[in-house]
Each structure stands twice: as structure tokens, then as C-alpha cells.
Amino acid sequence: MSSNDHHALDEAKAEVAEAEAIETQHHPEAPLGVQATTGPRRSPLVTLAWIAPGTIWLLLFLIAPLIMIVLVSIWTRTPVGFEKWSFTFDAYGRIFETDVYRDTLFGTFVRAIFVTALCVVMGYPVAFFLARCISSIRYQIALFIFVLAPFWVAYVVRIVAWLPVLGRQGVINYVIVEILHLRSEPIDALFYSPFAVMLALVQLYVLFMVTPIFFQLATLDNAAIEAARDLGANPSKVFREVILPLSLPGVLIGCIFVFVLVMGEFATVRIIGGGTVQSVGTLVYDYYKLPDLPSAAAGATILVAVMTIGVAVLLRFSRIREVV
């Protein structure tokens, strides 16, 4: 560094020190540099007012129910329910006496992974088309609302609607038997089968994948994409090196949504599975009907623990954007 550079640096430091000294005289509580980075001071009561609604909501509808479930799981079972303040871990032993719960938990976990992967494969192209291939904001919003149209129908109705599609007398069997004449008898395995459950779950939850990916892609910085093109990258390389890495946070958010929802799924498995397919939710319901409330609570507690571990693993990969 030359002497002129040193002189210019010393002058800049002197000007900053002089400005901070003047500001400190008028506002002795904080120097100018600190105020510029921290902003105006906020009353603790105002901060408390901002965080109170969300905190109360989490305490009442998340923390309190979880604590209650854990407590019920370690209370002693009685013929009509449980005995409070009589602690035991027998409920956890009962659900693992056989391999039913363990196998069902593993099957539910695998199903959640497959459904999440299928939702990524199906949802990403839809979100990419809406966010990057449609230039008009008006058309983007219109098509996005059209994609959300299934949410206008009740959840149970969307489940039952698969019966006329996959049922023995449904559309698919009609086409196979009556039109294409590929079989003489309808295919019974289409409905009340793992295939039907997987198909219905993808249809129900793919929108939870499309939405975060769409908003992530819609907010991408076009300057990075243009810079890659100016440097000679072809469209496939632009997508692979720029668009895909920058959209991964939206993909991860969608994966968390779908994984958690499928892990806790009950109604779809019960209705479309028809008793031939089990999930942890259906097992917990069966324990509840016995009634064996501590075992039901123990099953739910283990399910929450597995879901938490799965989400933690997914969040571990959220740093991939920083690495890229």
C-alpha cells in the first residue's frame, strides 16, 4: 500500500471518528455505527406483545398436547382408561410385545419417504412451469389458483372420490375390461391396496410440495441466471448449476410438509386401505378403541419422536444452499 493510500485511509478513519463523536454528544446512549446496525431501541413490552400470540398458540396447541400424550403413555392402564399419577412404562412394553407396531412403523416410514419422493418428482415440474415459464404475473396467479382447486373440496370427499376411479366397477377397470378387452375380470388389487393408498396420498399432498417450490422459484434473482447465460452456460447447465441449487430450500420445506403429513396419516389409509393396509395412526386408533389409552399414547409418542428425527435429518440438508 502506497503512502497516498495510507493517508486516504487515515483521513477516512478520522472522519468516521468525528461523526461518531458528534452523534454521541446528541445521543450518548449509542454511537452512530452501533445505531446504524441495530436500529431504534424497542420497548420490552412491545417485543413481548409481538411474541405473545405465537407463544401462547404454541403452548396451548403444540407443547401442552405433547406433554399430555407423554404423561398418559406412562400412566397405569385400567379397564376403562388409566390411573393418573401411577407411573409405569408397561405401555411401551405392550406395543413391542409383537412385531406389529415395529413393522407398521417401518412401513409407514418407508411409505412417507416414497410419497415424498414422488411428490418432488411430480410437483417440481409443475412449480417450475408456473414460476419460470409463465411471464405474466396475472397468468401465474390464475394458474396457481387452478392448481389449488382440489383444496376447494373437502378432504374426505377427495379420498372417497378414488372409489369410482380405482374400484372394481371404476373407470380404470371399465377401460381395461370393456374397452381394451385386456382382461375378462376386473382388477381387485387397484382399490384396498398399498398402490391405491400411495396414489391417493400423492394426489392429496403434492400441493404441499408445489406451493413452497413455486414461491421459491418465483423469487429467484434473475441476475444470477442471466450471468450464467452470459458466461456461455446452456439451458440445462443453467438449471443444474443455478436454478436447482437456489430452489432447494423450497424443496426441503415441501419435503418436511409431505413427510410429516404422511407419517401421521389416518383417514386415507383407513378408507382406501380398507383394513388391508396399516399405518401407525390406524394402530393408535385400534389401541384407543380397546380401550388401552396408555398404549395409544405410547404409540403416538414414538411416532412423534420418529417424525422429529426425520425432520431433523431433512433440516440437516438445508445447509446445502450455503455449500453451493
Side-chain angles (χ1 to χ4, degrees):
M1 183 179 293
S2 64
S3 59
N4 292 333
D5 294 334
H6 282 291
H7 182 68
L9 182 60
D10 293 337
E11 288 183 351
K13 289 181 178 180
E15 291 177 0
V16 171
E18 183 181 357
E20 289 186 349
I22 296 174
E23 184 65 24
T24 303
Q25 293 178 358
H26 295 284
H27 303 283
E29 66 278 2
L32 178 63
V34 174
Q35 289 186 358
T37 55
T38 60
R41 291 190 174 184
R42 179 177 295 167
S43 170
L45 293 178
V46 174
T47 303
L48 181 62
W50 276 105
I51 67 174
T55 302
I56 294 173
W57 180 273
L58 289 176
L59 289 175
L60 291 179
F61 297 103
L62 179 63
I63 306 300
L66 287 177
I67 293 175
M68 192 63 197
I69 290 174
V70 174
L71 286 176
V72 172
S73 70
I74 59 177
W75 284 343
T76 302
R77 176 190 178 187
T78 64
V80 294
F82 52 84
E83 182 181 347
K84 294 184 294 184
W85 312 120
S86 178
F87 300 104
T88 178
F89 289 93
D90 291 345
Y92 292 92
R94 285 195 299 273
I95 65 175
F96 285 110
E97 284 179 353
T98 64
D99 295 334
V100 174
Y101 183 86
R102 187 184 300 107
D103 294 342
T104 303
L105 180 61
F106 179 76
T108 302
F109 182 81
V110 172
R111 186 186 304 123
I113 295 296
F114 271 104
V115 171
T116 302
L118 289 174
C119 286
V120 172
V121 172
M122 297 181 63
Y124 196 99
V126 175
F128 183 86
F129 174 78
L130 293 176
R132 308 304 305 178
C133 298
I134 305 296
S135 57
S136 173
I137 300 296
R138 180 181 300 177
Y139 288 129
Q140 279 186 349
I141 296 174
L143 290 175
F144 184 71
I145 293 175
F146 178 76
V147 170
L148 295 178
F151 274 121
W152 302 348
V153 182
Y155 173 77
V156 177
V157 174
R158 282 182 283 158
I159 297 175
V160 177
W162 281 102
L163 180 59
V165 177
L166 299 175
R168 184 177 177 82
Q169 305 298 326
V171 175
I172 295 179
N173 272 320
Y174 178 81
V175 171
I176 292 175
V177 176
E178 300 296 336
I179 297 180
L180 300 179
H181 303 289
L182 298 178
R183 290 174 58 93
S184 59
E185 293 293 331
I187 303 175
D188 295 327
L190 287 179
F191 208 67
Y192 298 146
S193 65
F195 167 78
V197 172
M198 293 272 290
L199 188 62
L201 289 174
V202 171
Q203 184 266 334
L204 288 171
Y205 295 126
V206 68
L207 294 178
F208 290 93
M209 185 67 69
V210 172
T211 302
I213 297 177
F214 167 76
F215 284 110
Q216 186 70 33
L217 288 171
T219 57
L220 289 185
D221 186 4
N222 289 325
I225 300 175
E226 292 299 329
R229 291 172 179 169
D230 292 342
L231 292 174
N234 55 36
S236 62
K237 193 168 186 178
V238 170
F239 173 79
R240 189 171 61 253
E241 301 292 339
V242 180
I243 296 177
L244 181 60
L246 293 178
S247 65
L248 285 181
V251 176
L252 289 167
I253 293 173
C255 289
I256 291 173
F257 283 160
V258 176
F259 176 80
V260 171
L261 291 171
V262 175
M263 282 292 293
E265 181 58 55
F266 164 77
T268 305
V269 179
R270 175 69 73 178
I271 295 174
I272 295 185
T276 62
V277 182
Q278 291 285 352
S279 69
V280 176
T282 60
L283 280 185
V284 170
Y285 179 69
D286 291 338
Y287 286 128
Y288 173 79
K289 290 192 303 180
L290 285 178
D292 187 354
L293 299 184
S295 294
T301 301
I302 296 173
L303 175 62
V304 171
V306 173
M307 290 167 58
T308 303
I309 294 173
V311 172
V313 172
L314 289 174
L315 289 176
R316 171 64 180 83
F317 291 98
S318 63
R319 297 180 179 272
I320 193 170
R321 181 176 181 179
E322 299 176 5
V323 175
V324 174

